[in-house]
């Protein structure tokens, strides 16, 4: 198994870092799409695609690089946020979750190749994004952030109802898109030679 990162791996990982930055800042143009402090973004969509297209290892690496780029000060997080202080943000758990989202999506697809597996993998990735991100947000509000009045665990999860339909639809679309790309382009490329085994 070849673990060495090739130029094409680094290039495609960098491309997904850029896509995450774009997807994160949709709400900069429509600021009312922020519910309970959670910006509605396309990040989950791109994190799923990263795992489905790049594979578990490179997909997770690309999401890790995205997090690090933001932490060192490049404004790639939602609403052009950046800096090490982002770690204490109630929504930082969603950024961490993208690493697991990409990894698990890629892992499932590496084991099962049909379109159903792609869609299931995408939905599992989305579920991981919600579980990690929402639980981090609740913990942050309880332990160090300024919690809204009457905050409960159920209330925090109720905030996720608004973006949930969008994320389910986009997750399914990401799974279908990745499967079609695999069949039409990726399976015939040199990129795929080692990444499905990674």
């Amino acid at each position: 198994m070849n673990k060495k990162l090739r130029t094409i791996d680094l290039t495609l990982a960098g491309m997904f870092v850029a896509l995450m930055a774009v997807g994160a800042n949709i709400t900069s143009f429509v600021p009312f799409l922020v519910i309970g402090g959670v910006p509605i973004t396309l990040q989950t969509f791109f994190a799923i695609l990263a795992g489905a297209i790049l594979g578990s290892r490179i997909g997770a690496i690309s999401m890790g690089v995205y997090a690090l780029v933001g932490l060192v000060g490049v404004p790639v997080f939602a609403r052009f946020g950046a800096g090490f202080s982002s770690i204490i943000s109630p929504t930082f758990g969603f950024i961490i979750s993208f690493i697991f989202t990409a990894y698990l999506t890629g892992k499932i697809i590496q084991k099962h190749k049909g379109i159903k597996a792609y869609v299931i993998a995408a939905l599992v990735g989305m579920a991981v994004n919600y579980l990690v991100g929402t639980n981090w947000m609740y913990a942050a509000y309880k332990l160090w952030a300024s919690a809204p009045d009457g905050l409960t665990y159920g209330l925090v999860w109720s905030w996720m109802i608004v973006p949930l339909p969008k994320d389910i639809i986009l997750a399914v679309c990401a799974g279908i898109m990745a499967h079609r790309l695999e069949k039409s382009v990726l399976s015939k490329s040199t990129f795929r030679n080692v990444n499905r085994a990674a």
Side-chain angles (χ1 to χ4, degrees):
M1 184 183 298
N2 187 355
K3 293 288 187 180
K4 185 177 180 181
L5 293 178
R6 301 164 301 160
T7 301
I8 190 169
D9 298 327
L10 297 173
T11 300
L12 290 173
M15 179 185 75
F16 272 93
V17 172
L19 287 172
M20 287 293 286
V22 172
N25 288 292
I26 297 298
T27 52
S28 296
F29 308 101
V30 278
F32 59 86
L33 292 179
V34 179
I35 309 299
V38 181
I40 296 177
T41 72
L42 297 178
Q43 288 170 294
T44 304
F45 173 76
F46 287 125
I48 290 168
L49 276 183
I53 291 175
L54 304 183
S56 59
R57 185 169 68 102
I58 307 301
I61 288 172
S62 70
M63 296 300 99
V65 170
Y66 167 72
L68 289 174
V69 166
L71 288 174
V72 300
V74 181
V76 295
F77 296 154
R79 290 169 286 181
F80 298 104
F84 195 74
S85 62
S86 300
I87 288 178
I88 65 173
S89 167
T91 59
F92 188 74
F94 291 99
I95 295 172
I96 294 297
S97 77
F98 297 139
I99 300 171
F100 300 105
T101 293
Y103 183 82
L104 289 175
T105 299
K107 270 296 180 187
I108 293 171
I109 289 171
Q110 283 164 208
K111 297 178 184 300
H112 308 281
K113 306 297 186 181
I115 189 168
K116 182 185 292 187
Y118 273 77
V119 172
I120 290 172
L123 290 171
V124 168
M126 186 209 76
V128 168
N129 169 240
Y130 272 57
L131 284 170
V132 175
T134 306
N135 281 290
W136 176 291
M137 182 164 56
Y138 178 72
Y141 277 132
K142 282 295 185 181
L143 298 176
W144 65 81
S146 179
D149 292 336
L151 182 81
T152 64
Y153 190 62
L155 177 62
V156 171
W157 273 102
S158 73
W159 292 339
M160 305 309 298
I161 293 174
V162 173
L164 181 61
K166 176 266 298 181
D167 283 332
I168 290 174
I169 292 169
L170 288 178
V172 172
C173 289
I176 294 171
M177 181 185 301
H179 182 263
R180 289 183 176 177
L181 284 171
E182 177 67 27
K183 292 298 182 183
S184 62
V185 178
L186 297 175
S187 61
K188 302 171 185 176
S189 71
T190 56
F191 167 70
R192 191 55 80 223
N193 288 342
V194 298
N195 280 347
R196 276 296 181 235

